[in-house]
Amino acid sequence: MRERSLTPALYTVAIIVGLFALVIFFYLFYKGEVNEAIYTSVLTEVKGKLKETVASYISMVEKEERLNWEDSKKKIKEEVENAWGVANSIYTFCRAKRCSDALTKLLIKRALKNYRFFDGKGYIFIDSIHGTVILNPLFPEVEGKNLWNTKDPTGKLVHREFERVALYWPGNEGFVEYLWYKPGTKEIDRKISFVKLFKPYNWIIGGGVYQFQIRERVKEHILTIGKSFNALILDLEQKKRWELLKDLSIEELQRGVFLKTDDRFYFLKYYPRWHWVIGAFITNNELLKHIYYLQNQFLTRTNKSIAFTSVVILAIVAISSGALFNYSRTLKETIGELVRRKRELLKLTRRLKLIAYKDDITGLPNRKKLFEDLKKVDLTRNVHFALVNIRNFRDLNELFGFEDGNKILRNFGQNLRKAVKRRCKECLVYRIRGDKFGVLACGLNDAGFMELLKKVIGFLEAHEFEVNDLKFKLDVVAGVSKNPDNLLIEAEIAEEEAKRRNLTIYAFDSELQKIYQQLEENLKVAILLKEAVEKRMVVPYFQPIVELKSGKVFEYEALMRIKAPEGVLTPGQFLGVAKKIAIYGKLSRALLEEAFKKCAEKGIRVSVNLSTEDISSRETVEWIVSALKHYDIAEKVCFEVVETEAFSELKILEDFYFKVKELGSYLAIDDFGSGYSNYEYLATVKPDFVKIDGSLISKIPRSKEVEKLVKHIVAFCKDLEIKTIAEFVSNEELYAKVLSLGVDYGQGYYFGKPEPEIRP
């Protein structure tokens, strides 16, 4: 009887144990699969973001180089003109005192010998127009020598270029580009100098900047910006061996390489122009943060599964309690293991949460924690937020470096928290990003919060910081918002306004609301532009260009338009935004493609506009050349480049024109007369057409001076065999006038408005 009664019990126990084991197996398997899927998803997302970051920084480097060259040229010109002014003042004074020329020249040399700019790297030199070096502070051994026949590595006679500019250019001044020795070395580098004639002694006073100096400034600036985004630049020209790159070839880096170290995950790409490797990375801590956010989405479901499984097991245990009495110890241990694992999971969750919401440098809550806290804010109480910024932090970062810069941020954050908590226990302090911190308060009125902020800033500005035995104080500025729905953005706009007005604190007001509304409008336009590229909403409108003598249409200019729900947008409504969000290149290419298609379909000549951004992009130029060949329309296409951009980037323009000219295309300088109006550059490039700026054409009936200027431009172009086009011809009077002045072609509403279709 005993044997027969035990068999069903053992059978029941076996089934229950099997079910229990299956539940545990399913739980562990599900957890493992979820973790694996989360890790794979995060890694894929991280790779994509790293590639986007590196691409953005390469684009930023190219843009910063152009801007730095432009700024440096302005700075050089300003410094040379200042030096020229010093020389002229000394000369005038000495003439009044009847000093000898020898003494006057000596005083000028002494005054300019130590004249420095560009952080001491820029200097002033003086040559005579006959080639003798009068002053060269960094190469004193060449003073007194004659450089009339000295050539740079390309064969350019540098001093003769100086003389040509100083004697024959407008104002007896201008820029010269050449190759020259770096200060203190035998290395050659690109250099651009501004020279100006000092007539009393027929001297050429000049100053310049090297490409490597531009490169270093760009590198420092990009690294400063990129610090918050984990960007890096490795200079392959430095003698230092980069351990990170030891097993990588240039070919691999040109394609882009993902690389993993003990604590970081990198994406690296080669930038051939300056022999750099530009990269971005993410730390393991940041990876954990990403994983946490995804795990958090599954945690609720997992807990429900565990709860449901526990209920099932308890039910089975209750039903089978008699049969399972002898096995209770094993069941208890198993349930204990489940509980222990759940506790470990909760501990890990709490740890990940702390990492995700804590700033690594200052230990303060971060931007994500601010947004979490804002979800819990009681909107019935007054809410105020201040964005607190160190006004001069960038200078300090450049002076001390990133490591000491982080120490300053850490010290500043601690002092900010101490000052706020001393006056308001409920107020919260955050580090938002970079040198920007946040203070969140609930329950204070406007006056109370402003008073709190003034005292806190007073405390921070009175505090003395010390780095490397150097003591200094910080300049602090803050922007305030009390709109719970948009605290951070409004506070940031207010903080920028405080800087602009040179104030310590500025609260977001109705005036700044207009700026915010404009930002919102810009955002809408940005979204529309991205959609326009994706959905082929970029369309050309064609305006005829007419031969004035015959009255026949010569060609059509393709003008960019965007189809939008509210109508058709013109460039004035979107071009500024397009260039800010770096989508202009895609818009330009979309327009060119549509214009090229129409040109091929209709067999007409078309004229299309290009920017410096277009012609300086190797990828865009290669696409243009390929498209011209594909549609077989090269001889029917004219490329227009605005005068101000064309002559500021002459070498880039020449390279582009050479490529399309070989195929049979044409070049027009647009808006001539609105910018540099450099006739020598015009003779150098020698375009096929010059479009005289519409602002000049429209003034001809009212101004004899403008009429003479246009007549002069036309005559000059005829001498060079360049055809001229008058813009903005809006009526018969202007048509007759430009025809009498000898202009070849006309464009304007008198001949036809821009239309989506070409009318016969």
Side-chain angles (χ1 to χ4, degrees):
M1 290 294 292
R2 182 180 297 274
E3 291 177 358
R4 283 197 296 270
S5 63
L6 287 176
T7 302
L10 290 173
Y11 181 76
T12 303
V13 169
I15 292 175
I16 292 171
V17 170
L19 289 172
F20 190 77
L22 184 63
V23 169
I24 294 174
F25 172 77
F26 175 75
Y27 169 74
L28 295 176
F29 175 77
Y30 174 76
K31 182 180 175 184
E33 288 296 308
V34 167
N35 285 337
E36 179 65 26
I38 288 172
Y39 179 78
T40 303
S41 174
V42 169
L43 195 60
T44 302
E45 180 186 355
V46 163
K47 284 183 176 182
K49 287 184 177 179
L50 289 177
K51 291 182 79 171
E52 287 177 10
T53 300
V54 170
S56 296
Y57 273 88
I58 289 175
S59 175
M60 192 181 297
V61 167
E62 294 171 344
K63 184 176 181 181
E64 282 294 320
E65 180 191 3
R66 292 197 298 272
L67 293 176
N68 265 277
W69 273 113
E70 291 171 7
D71 291 343
S72 296
K73 287 172 72 174
K74 291 177 184 176
K75 178 68 174 174
I76 296 166
K77 182 178 180 182
E78 179 183 324
E79 296 295 347
V80 170
E81 288 175 342
N82 288 342
W84 187 93
V86 170
N88 193 55
S89 297
I90 294 172
Y91 175 78
T92 303
F93 176 81
C94 288
R95 290 284 290 179
K97 297 295 183 181
R98 299 182 181 278
C99 301
S100 67
D101 282 340
L103 177 60
T104 304
K105 291 177 180 179
L106 180 63
L107 290 174
I108 293 173
K109 284 177 61 179
R110 285 181 177 176
L112 298 182
K113 184 175 183 179
N114 296 317
Y115 191 103
R116 294 289 185 273
F117 50 95
F118 290 142
D119 299 324
K121 296 175 183 176
Y123 61 93
I124 296 296
F125 61 82
I126 304 175
D127 295 347
S128 76
I129 61 170
H130 300 299
T132 302
V133 179
I134 308 298
L135 173 68
N136 195 314
L138 293 196
F139 299 94
E141 63 273 13
V142 302
E143 291 181 5
K145 293 184 179 179
N146 192 284
L147 302 182
W148 178 254
N149 294 316
T150 302
K151 299 179 180 178
D152 75 355
T154 65
K156 181 180 287 187
L157 293 160
V158 177
H159 181 82
R160 298 189 193 184
E161 286 294 311
F162 289 168
E163 180 187 315
R164 185 173 65 85
V165 170
L167 292 182
Y168 304 114
W169 279 30
N172 299 114
E173 62 183 25
F175 289 97
V176 178
E177 187 175 330
Y178 54 101
L179 298 179
W180 204 247
Y181 295 99
K182 294 182 182 178
T185 73
K186 293 184 178 180
E187 294 180 34
I188 296 293
D189 194 26
R190 177 188 175 197
K191 185 176 183 181
I192 189 165
S193 293
F194 183 79
V195 294
K196 186 177 179 70
L197 180 66
F198 186 66
K199 290 183 179 179
Y201 295 130
N202 280 329
W203 282 354
I204 298 171
I205 298 178
V209 64
Y210 290 88
Q211 179 169 278
F212 82 90
Q213 294 168 340
I214 300 291
R215 182 173 62 189
E216 289 304 313
R217 285 206 293 274
V218 171
K219 182 179 178 181
E220 290 174 8
H221 182 57
I222 294 298
L223 286 176
T224 300
I225 296 172
K227 184 65 177 177
S228 301
F229 303 96
N230 295 340
L232 57 87
I233 295 175
L234 306 179
D235 191 345
L236 299 183
E237 290 186 356
Q238 292 182 356
K239 294 181 180 179
K240 176 181 177 182
R241 182 181 176 185
W242 299 105
E243 191 68 22
L244 198 62
L245 308 177
K246 64 179 182 179
D247 297 324
L248 298 173
S249 66
I250 294 295
E251 289 75 18
E252 289 176 301
L253 290 168
Q254 283 176 330
R255 293 190 296 269
V257 175
F258 289 104
L259 196 65
K260 193 175 188 311
T261 63
D262 291 339
D263 60 343
R264 291 178 178 181
F265 187 71
Y266 294 87
F267 179 69
L268 307 172
K269 193 169 178 65
Y270 181 57
Y271 183 62
R273 179 171 174 78
W274 284 347
H275 205 39
W276 284 354
V277 172
I278 297 178
F281 65 87
I282 186 170
T283 64
N284 285 346
N285 272 348
E286 288 170 326
L287 270 173
L288 282 174
K289 293 176 187 178
H290 286 293
I291 292 170
Y292 160 71
Y293 286 118
L294 284 178
Q295 280 183 333
N296 199 32
Q297 296 176 24
F298 292 95
L299 191 59
T300 304
R301 298 178 186 176
T302 303
N303 284 337
K304 288 179 180 178
S305 298
I306 292 172
F308 178 74
T309 303
S310 300
V311 170
V312 171
I313 291 172
L314 288 173
I316 294 172
V317 169
I319 295 169
S320 311
S321 58
L324 295 175
F325 178 77
N326 292 326
Y327 303 97
S328 60
R329 182 180 300 172
T330 304
L331 181 60
K332 183 179 179 180
E333 290 175 357
T334 304
I335 294 174
E337 177 67 14
L338 277 175
V339 172
R340 185 183 66 79
R341 291 191 179 187
K342 185 175 180 181
R343 285 174 181 167
E344 288 178 357
L345 184 61
L346 291 173
K347 285 181 181 179
L348 177 62
T349 301
R350 285 194 292 269
R351 179 169 172 265
L352 288 171
K353 195 170 184 179
L354 286 173
I355 293 173
Y357 289 140
K358 184 178 179 182
D359 177 57
D360 294 336
I361 294 175
T362 64
L364 293 173
N366 60 15
R367 178 191 179 105
K368 291 177 182 175
K369 186 64 169 69
L370 169 65
F371 290 139
E372 285 296 316
D373 290 344
L374 287 175
K375 294 176 184 177
K376 306 169 188 174
V377 166
D378 182 359
L379 298 180
T380 61
R381 306 174 68 193
N382 286 333
V383 179
H384 292 86
F385 179 77
L387 190 70
V388 182
N389 177 234
I390 305 172
R391 199 192 299 259
N392 56 341
F393 181 72
R394 180 175 175 181
D395 296 335
L396 295 173
N397 220 13
E398 292 178 354
L399 176 63
F400 297 119
F402 295 125
E403 187 173 342
D404 287 328
N406 287 341
K407 290 179 182 177
I408 295 171
L409 290 175
R410 192 177 302 114
N411 195 343
F412 181 85
Q414 292 168 355
N415 280 296
L416 174 61
R417 188 178 186 280
K418 185 192 303 180
V420 170
K421 289 294 184 181
R422 186 182 300 166
R423 296 166 176 82
C424 177
K425 299 294 184 185
E426 293 183 355
C427 291
L428 299 174
V429 178
Y430 308 84
R431 184 192 179 209
I432 306 303
R433 69 175 185 280
D435 58 341
K436 296 181 185 292
F437 294 78
V439 178
L440 179 65
C442 296
L444 296 177
N445 58 29
D446 293 355
F449 184 74
M450 295 299 281
E451 184 63 26
L452 164 71
L453 199 55
K454 287 176 184 176
K455 289 179 179 179
V456 168
I457 291 177
F459 172 81
L460 293 171
E461 291 188 333
H463 180 76
E464 196 167 57
F465 292 79
E466 183 175 349
V467 176
N468 300 332
D469 299 326
L470 180 64
K471 296 181 178 180
F472 56 90
K473 293 182 180 180
L474 297 177
D475 185 10
V476 182
V477 61
V480 177
S481 170
K482 57 180 183 178
N483 176 9
D485 296 327
N486 213 10
L487 284 177
L488 187 55
I489 294 177
E490 288 189 1
E492 190 149 12
I493 293 173
E495 182 244 332
E496 289 296 327
E497 187 67 13
K499 287 180 180 177
R500 191 180 71 81
R501 300 191 184 199
N502 201 24
L503 300 173
T504 303
I505 304 172
Y506 196 90
F508 191 88
D509 55 17
S510 57
E511 186 177 344
L512 293 186
Q513 181 65 32
K514 296 176 183 177
I515 296 175
Y516 177 67
Q517 288 171 350
Q518 184 59 53
L519 291 175
E520 284 188 317
E521 288 300 317
N522 289 350
L523 179 59
K524 291 178 184 176
V525 172
I527 294 170
L528 177 64
L529 293 180
K530 289 181 180 179
E531 186 180 358
V533 172
E534 294 169 0
K535 298 184 178 179
R536 305 181 72 86
M537 294 157 58
V538 182
V539 295
Y541 269 47
F542 298 92
Q543 186 174 30
I545 297 175
V546 173
E547 186 180 27
L548 294 180
K549 288 183 178 178
S550 67
K552 294 180 179 179
V553 175
F554 172 66
E555 65 182 7
Y556 293 87
E557 181 177 1
L559 302 166
M560 187 184 297
R561 299 290 187 267
I562 303 290
K563 288 182 179 178
E566 62 272 18
V568 177
L569 302 185
T570 60
Q573 296 171 282
F574 63 79
L575 202 55
V577 176
K579 293 194 173 182
K580 283 182 182 178
I581 64 171
I583 201 174
Y584 172 77
K586 293 180 180 179
L587 294 172
S588 180
R589 185 177 295 191
L591 174 77
L592 291 175
E593 175 126 30
E594 293 300 319
F596 288 170
K597 284 181 182 178
K598 191 69 72 173
C599 176
E601 289 172 8
K602 300 285 187 178
I604 56 167
R605 292 174 58 96
V606 296
S607 182
V608 291
N609 290 279
L610 294 180
S611 68
T612 304
E613 186 178 330
D614 292 318
I615 62 176
S616 61
S617 167
R618 185 175 63 183
E619 184 182 353
T620 300
V621 172
E622 288 176 354
W623 179 87
I624 288 172
V625 171
S626 175
L628 292 174
K629 292 177 180 178
H630 172 73
Y631 289 109
D632 192 22
I633 55 170
E635 295 180 355
K636 291 185 171 70
V637 177
C638 178
F639 295 97
E640 296 185 18
V641 182
V642 176
E643 174 206 344
T644 48
E645 294 188 355
F647 294 160
S648 64
E649 301 288 352
L650 190 60
K651 182 64 170 63
I652 295 174
L653 179 63
E654 287 179 324
D655 291 344
F656 171 76
Y657 188 28
F658 177 76
K659 289 178 181 178
V660 297
K661 189 69 174 175
E662 277 190 327
L663 300 176
S665 294
Y666 302 90
L667 176 70
I669 302 300
D670 197 9
D671 296 341
F672 190 80
S674 64
Y676 298 104
S677 300
N678 193 311
Y679 289 91
E680 182 180 4
Y681 282 0
L682 200 63
T684 302
V685 178
K686 200 172 180 185
D688 303 286
F689 303 92
V690 163
K691 299 187 76 172
I692 304 171
D693 186 57
S695 63
L696 295 177
I697 299 298
S698 60
K699 292 175 185 174
I700 289 176
R702 305 188 305 275
S703 172
K704 289 295 182 183
E705 289 75 14
V706 172
E707 182 179 341
K708 289 178 182 178
L709 175 59
V710 172
K711 187 175 182 179
H712 176 75
I713 293 172
V714 172
F716 183 81
C717 289
K718 283 189 182 299
D719 285 344
L720 294 178
E721 297 182 349
I722 299 172
K723 297 291 186 180
T724 51
I725 302 171
E727 299 180 309
F728 288 21
V729 179
S730 57
N731 53 52
E732 190 170 355
E733 180 187 7
L734 280 175
Y735 163 64
K737 201 69 178 174
V738 294
L739 179 61
S740 68
L741 291 174
V743 179
D744 299 296
Y745 303 96
Q747 179 180 2
Y749 279 17
Y750 179 71
F751 304 111
K753 297 180 180 180
E755 298 283 354
E757 295 297 331
I758 296 172
R759 300 183 185 279

